């Protein structure tokens, strides 16, 4: 059974439609990321799950029961806020114990549970401190502790890592993955960072313009993006989009060079999406001029300017190319993504025979 | 040679420039704060006739008389403290309640926010004249409304009898000065992050728990300053009391500032008035010390 079901959920503030009809079934125990650019409606969606906003239309079910009218405190969910929202006048121990106190848990049991959570999150030495005496990462852990101590059915996390520096962020990412593995509860995680979504989630819902663009595992979303928006949003460096042209016999050409054979009418001009890691330099291929070269050490990102547009290539770190140099590149036909030039949706199975499944 | 040194300074050295720049402030503060303070301290040691300014050294004699037999000082001190505590408490309750209301998304909020400041900005003389008419036993709206509503049978003497006069005074004082509490608290309320309230809701806190555990701790600091300032101002409040009851009936609402006025300009005893003023200052120093101790205890 799914832990959370969203059925035709809509939300509008005045005239503005923020969420425009979301259907989503979150499997029990999943780590779901709601991923999308800012203003896409992902936070509103999370706040509706929390009960902090009421849907204008549609149903929210938790474990099968409709919770639209259930107040936040009675939903058996905990939320970690982007700003942590720790009570500044309370100590760490009091902060963590607060939800238990409000639920009338006896004092003795409270102390035991706070101690257990503090142990799990290594907060023991900090229990008597006030939030302002803690670093960002420590505050983050206290906020997690306050959520954990209730042992709720569902955890909601609203961009909890965005206020941390890069090192701490990757450290906390690992801790969260480990935590999810250990407690096995359903977690819903809002982020605009596709790297966080890819590394942490069991499921991703890519959201844009108030609708779910794609729902699937990180691999599915990465390998088979359903449209240009998803394709461009997931992956660093971003997928390159160039104009293709279909000739006689389904020959797909990129800047005049044949790159694949597709099942499409001659004269069609699909958008070709190419991921940087699928691009290779070759003796024969699409002619291009080398633009920006970014050596990262173990690899080098090279921007290749061809007649159809700019393609980024992820090449081995020892690749010796100079800006301005003329090269040729090629990409595996099976790894090209084709999108409708107008609507941007993925053209399903356009290949003749050479379609490969890398999922 | 540095560029700074090239700026012409009419031959004023650095050592002189600093003191010269702060001199105007020192002169003004000296004239309006330090001089009156020391003048009052000095005056309190003399018997001075207000009209002739004939002064006679009496040492601590004024204070001896003040603390001594007739008990006027102690009665007035109690009246002043009760007035301060009562009106301040009412100001806080009204002010916090109004600030909470104005912080919500209510209808005509910006208009309401401007209107609520009205009592604070209106001149005390005007406000008291209006209130005296409202309280009037024959023509007053308050008596009219209460009789019309069947609450009372006969007009009540609001200002001429006790404890009515004291209650009226406290109410008018609260009405006049609660907007100060509203301004200070509202400003702080607007800076409380919404996520704290949301976290509290998710943690299962109801309306009262959210006020006690989120709002109150957040406005605590500003309330401390408000209480200190208002306590000092209410303690030395003169015009409102002087105009509304004049200290009456008899001396039931006569606070220390009214005695200072009476001594100085009614009885022409400027030295005695100064002694009362100095005593008030010592009490207020006590307020301030208590506030400092409270602040230090919290940090």
């Amino acid at each position: 059974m799914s832990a959370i079901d969203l059925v035709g959920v809509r939300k509008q503030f005045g005239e503005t439609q923020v969420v425009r009809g979301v259907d989503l079934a979150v499997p029990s125990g999943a780590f779901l990321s709601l991923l999308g650019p800012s203003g896409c409606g992902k936070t509103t969606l999370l706040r509706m799950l929390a009960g902090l906003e009421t849907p204008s239309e549609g149903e929210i079910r938790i474990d099968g029961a409709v919770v639209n009218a259930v107040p936040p405190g009675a939903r058996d969910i905990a939320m970690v806020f982007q700003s942590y929202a720790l009570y500044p006048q309370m100590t760490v121990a009091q902060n963590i114990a607060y939800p238990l106190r409000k639920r009338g848990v006896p004092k003795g049991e409270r102390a035991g549970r706070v101690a257990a959570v503090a142990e799990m999150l290594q907060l023991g030495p900090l229990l008597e401190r006030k939030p302002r005496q803690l670093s960002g990462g420590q505050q983050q852990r206290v906020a997690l502790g306050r959520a954990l101590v209730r042992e709720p059915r569902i955890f909601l996390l609203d961009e909890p890592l965005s206020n941390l520096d890069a090192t701490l962020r990757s450290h906390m990412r690992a801790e969260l993955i480990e935590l999810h593995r250990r407690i096995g509860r359903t977690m819903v995680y809002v982020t605009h960072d596709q790297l966080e979504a890819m590394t942490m989630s069991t499921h991703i819902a890519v959201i844009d313009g108030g609708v779910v663009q794609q729902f699937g595992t990180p691999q599915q979303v990465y390998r088979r993006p359903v449209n240009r928006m998803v394709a461009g949003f997931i992956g660093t460096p971003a997928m390159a989009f160039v104009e293709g042209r279909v000739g006689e016999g389904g020959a797909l050409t990129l800047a005049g060079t044949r790159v694949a054979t597709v099942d499409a009418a001659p004269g069609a001009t699909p958008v070709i999406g190419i991921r940087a890691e699928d691009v290779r330099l070759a003796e024969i291929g699409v002619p291009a001029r080398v633009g920006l070269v970014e050596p990262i050490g173990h690899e080098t990102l090279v921007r290749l300017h061809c007649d159809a547009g700019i393609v980024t290539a992820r090449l081995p770190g020892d690749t010796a190319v100079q800006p301005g140099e003329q090269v040729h590149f090629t990409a595996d036909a099976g790894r090209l993504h084709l999108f409708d030039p107008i609507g941007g949706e993925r053209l399903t199975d356009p290949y003749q025979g050479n379609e490969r499944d890398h999922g | 040679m540095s560029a700074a040194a090239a700026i012409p300074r009419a031959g004023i050295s650095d050592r002189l420039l600093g003191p010269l720049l702060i001199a105007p402030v020192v002169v003004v503060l000296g004239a309006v704060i330090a001089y009156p303070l020391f003048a009052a301290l000095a005056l309190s040691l003399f018997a001075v006739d207000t009209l002739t300014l004939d002064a006679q050294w009496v040492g601590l004699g004024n204070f001896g008389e003040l603390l001594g037999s007739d008990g006027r000082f102690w009665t007035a001190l109690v009246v002043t403290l009760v007035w301060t505590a009562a009106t301040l408490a009412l100001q806080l309750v009204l002010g916090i309640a109004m600030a909470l209301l104005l912080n919500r998304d209510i209808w005509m909020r910006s208009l309401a926010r401007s209107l609520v400041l009205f009592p604070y900005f209106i001149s005390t003389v005007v406000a008291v004249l209006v209130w005296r008419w409202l309280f009037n036993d024959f023509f007053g709206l308050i008596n009219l409304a209460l009789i019309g509503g069947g609450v009372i049978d006969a007009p009540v003497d609001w200002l001429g009898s006790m404890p009515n006069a004291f209650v009226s005074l406290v109410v008018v004082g609260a009405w006049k000065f609660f907007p100060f509490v509203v301004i200070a608290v509202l400003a702080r309320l607007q800076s409380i992050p919404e996520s704290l309230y949301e976290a509290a809701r998710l943690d299962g806190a109801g309306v009262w728990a959210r006020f006690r555990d989120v709002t109150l701790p957040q406005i605590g600091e500003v309330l401390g300053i408000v209480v200190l300032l208002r306590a000092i101002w209410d303690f030395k409040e003169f015009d409102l009391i002087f105009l509304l009851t004049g200290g009456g009936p008899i001396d039931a609402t006569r606070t220390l500032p009214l005695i200072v006025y009476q001594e100085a300009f009614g009885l022409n005893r400027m030295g005695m008035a100064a002694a009362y003023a100095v005593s008030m200052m010592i009490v207020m120093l006590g307020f301030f010390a208590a506030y400092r101790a409270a602040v230090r205890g919290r940090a």
Side-chain angles (χ1 to χ4, degrees), chain A residues 41 47 65 71 84 104 106 108 111 141 143 153 164 177 180 193 205 222 240 245 279 309 327 330:
Chain A
R47 291 170 58 83
Y84 317 138
R141 291 218 300 277
R153 283 183 292 186
L164 304 178
I177 297 171
H180 176 249
D193 184 333
Y222 187 79
R245 189 168 289 278
V279 178
V327 294
T330 176

Side-chain angles (χ1 to χ4, degrees), chain A residues 86-87 90-102 110-119 121-124 126-127 131 134 138-150, chain B residues 203:
Chain A
L86 300 177
Y87 309 117
M90 299 183 196
T91 63
V92 168
Q94 287 166 336
N95 262 286
I96 296 175
Y98 190 73
L100 298 180
R101 218 173 80 204
K102 288 296 116 186
R110 235 152 57 195
R113 280 165 74 172
V114 169
V117 165
E119 161 86 36
L121 295 171
Q122 294 148 38
L123 288 169
L126 308 176
L127 280 176
L134 303 178
Q138 289 167 335
Q139 291 186 28
Q140 168 71 82
R141 291 218 300 277
V142 177
L144 267 175
R146 192 174 61 183
L148 278 170
V149 78
R150 282 170 48 193
Chain B
D203 285 343

Side-chain angles (χ1 to χ4, degrees), chain A:
Chain A
M1 188 169 73
S2 44
I4 304 169
D5 289 284
L6 300 179
V7 185
V9 171
R10 290 172 183 276
K11 178 69 186 179
Q12 55 188 62
F13 296 101
E15 293 292 293
T16 322
Q17 291 229 7
V18 182
V19 175
R20 307 159 176 265
V22 166
D23 295 277
L24 211 56
V26 185
S28 194
F31 192 119
L32 168 72
S33 286
L34 301 177
L35 174 66
S38 47
C40 73
K42 57 188 190 297
T43 296
T44 307
L45 208 53
L46 191 80
R47 291 170 58 83
M48 285 194 283
L49 282 176
L52 297 171
E53 306 281 357
T54 318
S56 309
E57 255 179 68
E59 262 181 15
I60 297 173
R61 298 194 204 119
I62 295 178
D63 285 345
V66 179
V67 295
N68 285 38
V70 178
R75 288 193 179 190
D76 201 9
I77 46 171
M79 183 160 164
V80 176
F81 290 82
Q82 183 172 6
S83 59
Y84 317 138
L86 300 177
Y87 309 117
Q89 80 279 12
M90 299 183 196
T91 63
V92 168
Q94 287 166 336
N95 262 286
I96 296 175
Y98 190 73
L100 298 180
R101 218 173 80 204
K102 288 296 116 186
R103 283 174 171 70
V105 175
K107 203 170 179 186
E109 187 190 338
R110 235 152 57 195
R113 280 165 74 172
V114 169
V117 165
E119 161 86 36
M120 192 196 308
L121 295 171
Q122 294 148 38
L123 288 169
L126 308 176
L127 280 176
E128 291 315 310
R129 294 216 199 149
K130 296 276 177 74
R132 65 168 184 276
Q133 298 166 308
L134 303 178
S135 70
Q138 289 167 335
Q139 291 186 28
Q140 168 71 82
R141 291 218 300 277
V142 177
L144 267 175
R146 192 174 61 183
L148 278 170
V149 78
R150 282 170 48 193
E151 298 172 8
R153 283 183 292 186
I154 295 165
F155 288 87
L156 306 177
L157 302 104
D158 184 11
E159 309 221 18
L161 305 186
S162 57
N163 289 346
L164 304 178
D165 65 49
T167 323
L168 202 53
R169 199 153 56 215
S170 82
H171 175 71
M172 285 305 295
R173 218 160 55 207
E175 284 199 7
L176 276 176
I177 297 171
E178 171 63 19
L179 188 70
H180 176 249
R181 197 190 57 74
R182 206 155 20 145
I183 61 176
R185 301 288 166 101
T186 311
M187 294 191 172
V188 182
Y189 186 97
V190 161
T191 181
H192 63 266
D193 184 333
Q194 53 95 22
L195 182 70
E196 283 179 13
M198 289 296 289
T199 51
M200 299 168 72
S201 321
T202 61
H203 296 75
I204 294 179
V206 183
I207 297 172
D208 194 32
V211 293
V212 174
Q213 303 283 338
Q214 186 167 5
F215 175 73
T217 66
Q219 285 304 313
Q220 284 167 344
V221 172
Y222 187 79
R223 299 291 189 196
R224 286 185 67 82
V226 297
N227 58 35
R228 252 187 91 160
M229 183 269 145
V230 175
F233 199 74
I234 307 258
T236 336
M239 183 186 280
F241 297 107
V242 289
E243 194 192 68
R245 189 168 289 278
V246 178
E248 288 303 321
L252 178 67
T253 59
L254 197 177
T257 306
R258 180 170 176 155
V259 289
T261 306
V262 296
D263 183 13
T269 55
V271 171
I272 305 176
I274 311 173
R275 290 221 186 269
E277 66 267 29
D278 296 333
V279 178
R280 296 187 311 276
L281 295 185
E283 293 294 317
I284 306 164
V286 182
R289 180 176 55 80
V290 174
L292 187 66
V293 177
E294 297 173 89
I296 309 175
H298 67 291
E299 62 186 27
T300 301
L301 298 179
V302 179
R303 274 207 245 171
L304 302 166
H305 298 250
C306 69
D307 286 346
I310 302 171
V311 172
T312 306
R314 172 176 280 166
L315 302 173
D318 55 3
T319 308
V321 288
Q322 297 299 322
E325 204 176 311
Q326 286 294 331
V327 294
H328 292 85
F329 73 87
T330 176
D332 236 336
R335 290 184 175 251
L336 299 179
H337 306 262
L338 298 191
F339 301 101
D340 185 275
I342 298 158
E345 60 274 7
R346 184 182 188 90
L347 299 173
T348 46
D349 299 325
Y351 305 106
Q352 291 179 338
N354 55 2
E355 168 78 350
R356 268 187 263 166
D357 186 27
H358 351 263

Side-chain angles (χ1 to χ4, degrees), chain B residues 278-295:
Chain B
V278 169
S279 311
M280 280 179 63
M281 197 177 72
I282 292 166
V283 176
M284 284 192 275
L285 277 175
F287 287 172
F288 185 65
Y291 169 77
R292 286 291 300 269
V295 166

Side-chain angles (χ1 to χ4, degrees), chain B:
Chain B
M1 195 184 214
S2 73
I7 298 168
R9 282 219 192 118
I12 299 170
S13 76
D14 279 357
R15 280 167 57 114
L16 220 62
L17 186 65
L20 266 178
L21 286 175
I22 62 165
V25 178
V26 171
V27 169
V28 170
L29 288 183
V32 301
I33 293 179
Y35 169 71
L37 181 68
F38 287 108
L41 283 172
L43 270 178
S44 69
L45 302 175
F46 291 87
V48 185
D49 186 288
T50 307
L51 299 177
T52 62
L53 290 183
D54 282 337
Q56 209 172 356
W57 171 263
V58 291
L60 293 175
N62 284 335
F63 291 94
E65 186 189 331
L66 177 152
L67 299 172
S69 51
D70 72 347
R72 228 158 43 112
F73 173 80
W74 297 109
T75 312
L77 178 64
V78 170
V79 168
T80 312
L81 287 176
V82 173
W83 140 261
T84 301
T87 194
L88 179 54
L90 201 54
Q91 286 168 29
L92 287 175
V93 171
L94 280 177
I96 293 172
M98 185 59 81
L100 287 172
L101 183 68
L102 291 178
N103 192 41
R104 302 192 62 144
D105 212 356
I106 54 167
W107 185 68
M108 303 274 268
R109 179 164 72 171
S110 47
L111 182 68
R113 280 184 180 177
S114 316
L115 282 181
V116 82
L117 305 181
F118 184 71
Y120 198 65
F121 293 145
I122 196 173
S123 148
T124 306
V125 181
V126 176
V128 169
L129 281 177
V130 171
W131 275 103
R132 285 183 68 110
W133 274 110
L134 287 172
F135 281 130
N136 189 289
D137 17 354
F138 295 116
F139 315 105
L141 266 178
I142 294 173
N143 276 324
L144 187 71
L146 289 177
I147 292 172
V151 182
I152 51 175
D153 302 327
V156 171
D157 183 5
W158 292 109
L159 298 173
S161 66
M162 280 299 279
N164 297 359
F166 203 92
V167 173
S168 303
L169 195 61
V170 165
V171 168
V172 174
W175 170 84
K176 182 81 181 72
F177 299 118
F178 89 97
F180 179 80
V181 183
V182 176
I183 298 171
V185 172
L186 186 57
R188 185 67 188 89
L189 281 179
Q190 286 167 333
S191 68
I192 301 178
E194 193 56 34
S195 60
L196 279 180
Y197 290 104
E198 294 176 344
R201 277 170 72 192
L202 280 154
D203 285 343
V207 175
W208 169 243
R210 291 203 293 274
F211 176 73
R212 197 192 50 205
D213 296 332
V214 178
T215 309
L216 216 48
Q218 293 274 325
I219 63 174
E221 210 161 303
V222 76
L223 277 184
I225 295 166
V226 164
V227 166
L228 174 74
L229 288 177
R230 284 272 20 126
I232 290 174
W233 291 339
D234 290 336
F235 187 81
K236 66 188 183 69
E237 180 62 31
F238 173 75
D239 43 3
L240 188 123
I241 304 170
F242 184 73
L243 293 164
L244 195 64
T245 66
I250 311 181
D251 59 359
T253 60
R254 189 169 63 188
T255 57
L256 288 170
L258 267 68
I259 294 191
V260 174
Y261 176 82
Q262 190 187 28
E263 286 287 348
F265 305 109
L267 304 173
N268 287 337
R269 300 204 297 173
M270 192 55 97
M272 199 61 207
Y276 270 101
V278 169
S279 311
M280 280 179 63
M281 197 177 72
I282 292 166
V283 176
M284 284 192 275
L285 277 175
F287 287 172
F288 185 65
Y291 169 77
R292 286 291 300 269
V295 166
R296 208 170 304 145
R298 193 164 19 193

